[in-house]
Amino acid sequence: MTTSPTTKIAIIGAGTIGLSLTALHLVQNPTCQIAIHDPRPDLQSYITTHLPTYLPQVDKATYQTRISLVSDLSSAVKNATIIQEQGPEETGFKQRIWAQIEGYAPPNALFWSSTSGIPASEQNREMKDKSRLVVVHPYNPPHVMPLLEVVPAPSTSADVVERTLEYWRTLGRTPVVVRKECTGFVANRLAFALFREACSLVAQDVVSVEDLDAIVSASMGPRWSVAGPFKSYHAGGGEGGLKSFMEKIGGTVQACWSASDEDVKREGIEVGNAWQDKICRQANESYGVVDTSTRDETTKKVLNVVGH
Amino acid sequence: MTTSPTTKIAIIGAGTIGLSLTALHLVQNPTCQIAIHDPRPDLQSYITTHLPTYLPQVDKATYQTRISLVSDLSSAVKNATIIQEQGPEETGFKQRIWAQIEGYAPPNALFWSSTSGIPASEQNREMKDKSRLVVVHPYNPPHVMPLLEVVPAPSTSADVVERTLEYWRTLGRTPVVVRKECTGFVANRLAFALFREACSLVAQDVVSVEDLDAIVSASMGPRWSVAGPFKSYHAGGGEGGLKSFMEKIGGTVQACWSASDEDVKREGIEVGNAWQDKICRQANESYGVVDTSTRDETTKKVLNVVGH
């Protein structure tokens, strides 16, 4: 399958994730055809205005012939080999649209949801064949970031997972299977755990928002770009690996975890509490409106260095 | 001050951190002189063998004239402008040695401890002038990683902090002031918070050690190399910044935090519990002994891309 001229992709939902995914397929899979389906009335002008911002290096004419805007869902998916959905994050919407798509799409088409939180086992409730749907959760923006979290439901077939991995590997991306449908999947769970500790430390005036970001960008960021946390601590243990690391540094690790638990509780680091105002104000003062195109260009260079 | 020919640095404790710091000063401060003090009996042969591995690109002769091995503490520090300590992580040792150093060192010399956990306010107990000592906690290995956490005691003078920052900025590093002496300082607190979540998810078989590392290296690592977590989420909120982000995504963030709390409690993710064996075993199976020199070379390239 995959990068042959026959790959026909239906993009269901053309918000920022949908456009970024469209750009990703167009660039990395140079022969694919893409049908974009979205109920917004200004779809044509919206696509014409915004899609090129995701495709700065590609001549407009080279991709215009490869995309079509399709207002009718059945026409959008009826010849598709891949159907990739990023509609509203509402369980009812997802359940309805997958049942509809199942009725229109070819029997072998892959069904992917970009949801960041609604598991395939909830989305597939009204489908006849619950083995077909799998969550493919991108890391934003997907035309830059290599990660795709592939999260099957218990009912998803191994063949669907395998073909999904194969497609993304062929495109040079990094699909990773999340073996259980846990809340938030893995990337957000990890990032939000660090984010909570970051909020707690700023709430306590240990550091400012800007200094905390400087700490991360001068330490864990570059380190984890090259070797993830387990590999890093495994290396930190020398020949004895992670076991030695835990024997030597475990006391410090536990002291940090215990202090963190106490601080988070005392400072009330739950969403919506008083600490949030301070952090949002500091972020505004330090950063204003962030220039994401510069950020993304630099991120591409980092990814290039680490072999993505 | 600083990079003039008069910078005389006393390195107290020549383990891996001491040697890495020695290499950092030698390379980044090309005129400094370094006295290395360590009680190990084989100091000469140890330095001859190991220091060059931190200095691959420098001709041995160019730095040999700039370092001296000094067995006597008083001689090591008596002309120093900077005294940088990385001895045993024992409060009693630190308290004794700083009282001794204070007696021998010039009145303007900077006193830096590389400790990862013993605050300056404990280390300075037996010093006459408690304003002189500050923690300068490097991120390992310091000859590669730009971060230095500068953690003053409440008694540390503003002048000591300022001169410390100035030295490291002159060397092109990233010193960041940690304003309160919290457990573990900031970098480890953040990294260990994510590490705990990582351990919890692997303990539950949501992902393997290797897949979790792949997720981080294809997402947060590169992202946070370019923009730290606050800046990233502030950008994620568009023109409304972090406030909009929290309004839109706050429910997901809180769901992840709550799930994390439950999982950590249920799985008993405290140091020394049963989960640890599985994680250490997987790390061994995936990584064996890590080649840190390749890792460090790639890390330098990432740091170069992001302007460090």
Side-chain angles (χ1 to χ4, degrees):
Chain A
M1 71 159 291
T2 65
T3 55
S4 75
T6 55
T7 313
K8 292 194 166 74
I9 300 165
I11 292 288
I12 309 300
T16 54
I17 301 287
L19 291 190
S20 175
L21 286 168
T22 300
L24 171 57
H25 292 296
L26 285 171
V27 173
Q28 300 294 117
N29 184 353
T31 58
C32 72
Q33 297 283 331
I34 301 188
I36 300 177
H37 171 80
D38 191 294
R40 60 187 304 154
D42 63 341
L43 186 60
Q44 178 71 64
S45 68
Y46 170 78
I47 297 281
T48 306
T49 306
H50 293 284
L51 184 57
T53 66
Y54 295 85
L55 287 161
Q57 77 283 36
V58 179
D59 178 39
K60 208 174 160 187
T62 68
Y63 66 81
Q64 263 190 338
T65 59
R66 296 167 56 210
I67 62 174
S68 53
L69 311 187
V70 185
S71 57
D72 173 54
L73 181 64
S74 127
S75 307
V77 306
K78 70 179 179 193
N79 294 314
T81 49
I82 290 168
I83 293 143
Q84 189 159 28
E85 176 275 331
Q86 38 285 321
E89 284 287 88
E90 296 161 15
T91 305
F93 168 82
K94 309 272 194 202
Q95 289 175 342
R96 281 190 299 279
I97 205 162
W98 286 121
Q100 289 179 284
I101 289 169
E102 189 183 28
Y104 302 137
N108 260 323
L110 289 164
F111 293 174
W112 296 343
S113 172
S114 302
T115 181
S116 60
I118 306 172
S121 60
E122 286 184 30
Q123 296 192 36
N124 69 16
R125 290 278 165 84
E126 296 176 26
M127 292 174 72
K128 292 194 184 96
D129 179 357
K130 295 177 173 49
S131 76
R132 298 189 66 180
L133 181 65
V134 66
V135 164
V136 177
H137 177 227
Y139 196 85
N140 203 26
H143 72 291
V144 176
M145 305 304 295
L147 177 64
L148 290 308
E149 292 182 278
V150 176
V151 194
S155 58
T156 306
S157 79
D159 175 64
V160 163
V161 173
E162 199 42 57
R163 287 159 62 211
T164 300
L165 296 175
E166 189 190 344
Y167 180 82
W168 291 110
R169 287 182 186 140
T170 304
L171 262 58
R173 313 309 277 187
T174 305
V176 178
V177 177
V178 175
R179 296 187 212 148
K180 291 183 181 175
E181 293 183 303
C182 64
T183 304
F185 313 136
V186 173
N188 277 341
R189 282 288 287 272
L190 295 172
F192 291 159
L194 185 141
F195 179 59
R196 189 184 210 177
E197 189 74 344
C199 291
S200 172
L201 293 169
V202 174
Q204 297 170 68
D205 293 321
V206 171
V207 277
S208 67
V209 155
E210 198 169 349
D211 280 350
L212 187 135
D213 280 346
I215 285 173
V216 173
S217 295
S219 58
M220 282 89 79
R223 165 58 47 78
W224 290 343
S225 298
V226 181
F230 286 118
K231 191 172 185 179
S232 293
Y233 293 135
H234 186 68
E239 293 193 1
L242 191 55
K243 191 162 182 287
S244 285
F245 175 84
M246 292 306 288
E247 281 160 10
K248 282 184 236 166
I249 314 292
T252 304
V253 173
Q254 185 59 52
C256 287
W257 289 353
S258 300
S260 170
D261 285 346
E262 283 168 35
D263 291 352
V264 161
K265 195 166 180 184
R266 189 188 58 249
E267 304 290 328
I269 309 298
E270 308 288 339
V271 171
N273 286 355
W275 60 271
Q276 216 169 286
D277 282 347
K278 182 201 280 184
I279 275 122
C280 294
R281 195 170 57 245
Q282 282 192 30
N284 251 337
E285 287 165 7
S286 292
Y287 301 126
V289 177
V290 177
D291 172 5
T292 52
S293 63
T294 303
R295 180 197 68 178
D296 289 348
E297 284 311 306
T298 309
T299 306
K300 282 182 201 167
K301 290 180 195 159
V302 170
L303 290 165
N304 190 43
V305 163
V306 296
H308 279 292
Chain B
M1 68 158 292
T2 62
T3 57
S4 74
T6 56
T7 312
K8 292 194 166 77
I9 300 164
I11 292 288
I12 311 298
T16 54
I17 302 287
L19 290 190
S20 175
L21 287 168
T22 300
L24 170 58
H25 292 296
L26 285 171
V27 173
Q28 301 293 116
N29 183 352
T31 59
C32 73
Q33 298 284 330
I34 301 187
I36 300 176
H37 171 80
D38 192 293
R40 61 187 303 154
D42 63 340
L43 186 60
Q44 178 71 63
S45 67
Y46 170 79
I47 298 281
T48 306
T49 306
H50 293 285
L51 184 57
T53 65
Y54 295 85
L55 288 159
Q57 77 282 40
V58 178
D59 179 37
K60 208 174 158 187
T62 67
Y63 66 81
Q64 262 190 340
T65 60
R66 295 166 57 210
I67 62 174
S68 54
L69 311 187
V70 186
S71 57
D72 173 55
L73 181 64
S74 126
S75 307
V77 306
K78 71 179 180 195
N79 295 314
T81 48
I82 291 168
I83 292 143
Q84 189 159 27
E85 175 274 331
Q86 38 285 320
E89 285 287 271
E90 296 161 15
T91 306
F93 169 83
K94 309 272 195 203
Q95 289 175 339
R96 281 191 300 279
I97 205 161
W98 286 120
Q100 288 178 285
I101 289 168
E102 188 183 28
Y104 301 138
N108 261 323
L110 289 165
F111 294 172
W112 296 344
S113 174
S114 302
T115 181
S116 60
I118 306 172
S121 60
E122 287 184 29
Q123 296 192 36
N124 70 15
R125 291 277 165 83
E126 295 175 27
M127 291 175 73
K128 293 194 183 93
D129 180 356
K130 295 179 173 47
S131 75
R132 299 189 66 183
L133 181 65
V134 66
V135 165
V136 178
H137 177 227
Y139 196 84
N140 203 26
H143 72 292
V144 176
M145 304 304 295
L147 176 64
L148 289 308
E149 291 182 279
V150 176
V151 194
S155 59
T156 306
S157 79
D159 175 66
V160 164
V161 173
E162 200 40 59
R163 288 160 62 212
T164 300
L165 296 174
E166 190 190 344
Y167 180 81
W168 290 111
R169 286 181 186 140
T170 305
L171 262 58
R173 312 309 277 187
T174 305
V176 178
V177 177
V178 175
R179 297 187 211 147
K180 291 182 180 174
E181 292 182 303
C182 65
T183 304
F185 314 136
V186 173
N188 277 341
R189 281 288 286 271
L190 295 172
F192 291 157
L194 184 141
F195 179 59
R196 190 183 209 178
E197 190 75 344
C199 290
S200 171
L201 293 168
V202 174
Q204 296 170 70
D205 293 321
V206 171
V207 276
S208 67
V209 155
E210 199 169 349
D211 280 349
L212 188 135
D213 280 346
I215 285 173
V216 173
S217 295
S219 57
M220 283 89 80
R223 164 59 47 76
W224 290 344
S225 299
V226 180
F230 287 118
K231 191 171 187 180
S232 294
Y233 293 135
H234 186 67
E239 292 193 1
L242 191 56
K243 190 163 182 290
S244 286
F245 175 85
M246 292 305 289
E247 282 160 10
K248 281 182 237 166
I249 314 290
T252 304
V253 173
Q254 184 60 52
C256 286
W257 289 353
S258 300
S260 169
D261 285 346
E262 282 167 36
D263 291 351
V264 160
K265 195 166 181 183
R266 189 189 58 248
E267 303 291 327
I269 309 297
E270 309 287 338
V271 171
N273 285 356
W275 61 271
Q276 216 170 286
D277 281 347
K278 181 201 281 184
I279 276 121
C280 293
R281 194 171 55 245
Q282 282 192 28
N284 252 337
E285 286 166 7
S286 293
Y287 299 127
V289 176
V290 177
D291 173 6
T292 53
S293 64
T294 302
R295 181 197 68 180
D296 289 349
E297 285 311 306
T298 309
T299 306
K300 282 182 201 168
K301 288 179 195 160
V302 170
L303 289 164
N304 190 42
V305 163
V306 296
H308 279 292

